[in-house]
Structure formats: C-alpha cells, structure tokens
Amino acid sequence: DCSEVADRLASGVTAIYSTKGAFAAVKEGGEVLTWGRDDDGSDRSGVADRLAAGVTAVYSTGMAFAAVKEGGEVVTWGDPDDGGDCSGVADRLAAGVTAIYSNDTAFVVVKGIGEVVTWGAPAYGGD
C-alpha cells in the first residue's frame, strides 16, 4: 500500500527499484521513498535522514536495499540477513563506491581503488 507516500509520488520520480515485497522510488534531488512490506525493505525509518537527498541509485536483494549517494557512500536498510545491515563494513562504505552488485541475499561493491567489499548472507557471498 503506497497511500503513505502517494502524494509525494505524484511528480519528480526518476527511478523505481524493488525487492520481492517492497518498492523504493528515487526522486529528483535524490530523496528515497519506500512502500510495501516492512520486512522486505519498505521500513527505512532507521536511515530516513540519510535518504532525504543525494541518492543517485538504489540496488536490491530479495529483502533489502542499498542506496548509493553522491560521493560513493552506501546506505542500507531492510532484512539484516539479506544485506539490510552493513554495520560490519560500514566504515568501508562511507565513500568511494563506484559499483554495486547483488544476488538474492548479499551485496558486493567495488570502490574506486579496486577494493571489493561484501555483506549479507555469508553462504551466498556476503561477509
């Protein structure tokens, strides 16, 4: 149900991304809006302030999102076991990320210096 954000989706949306049960819309200026099942990534309350502006792209696993901000910072939310919790590598995701890849339960990024950083389900390529 997108009723909580419907009025803000009426204009300015530049891209929409999805997990298996939630959507994330990026608006002009880089604000991210979400809706759908909380467990599948629609609950961004813990990082909402960091998603208010400057997001350039969003990537997803089955139940989590990862947003890249200007400057290469990565912000994650959603199911912790599916990549929604990057706290173990957060210091390495603070800047310089140039590419993100994902599967159903893990994320991997490449930084400008060629460093690779992973998080999510260990059995599927995460940390």
Side-chain angles (χ1 to χ4, degrees):
D1 179 6
C2 69
S3 60
E4 289 184 27
V5 295
D7 59 328
R8 294 165 60 200
L9 293 172
S11 65
V13 173
T14 60
I16 296 180
Y17 305 90
S18 63
T19 63
K20 67 182 184 178
F23 293 96
V26 178
K27 296 193 66 170
E28 295 169 353
E31 177 188 14
V32 175
L33 304 173
T34 58
W35 68 97
R37 286 181 38 91
D38 285 352
D39 294 344
D40 291 343
S42 77
D43 181 4
R44 69 187 188 291
S45 59
V47 294
D49 58 328
R50 296 170 61 201
L51 299 174
V55 171
T56 60
V58 176
Y59 299 85
S60 64
T61 61
M63 298 172 68
F65 289 105
V68 179
K69 297 189 70 172
E70 297 164 352
E73 175 190 5
V74 174
V75 179
T76 64
W77 70 99
D79 186 293
D81 296 328
D82 285 358
D85 178 7
C86 68
S87 60
V89 294
D91 59 327
R92 295 164 63 197
L93 301 177
V97 170
T98 58
I100 295 186
Y101 304 92
S102 63
N103 60 28
D104 195 46
T105 58
F107 289 102
V108 59
V109 302
V110 179
K111 297 186 70 172
I113 59 173
E115 177 186 10
V116 172
V117 181
T118 67
W119 71 96
Y124 296 93
D127 53 15

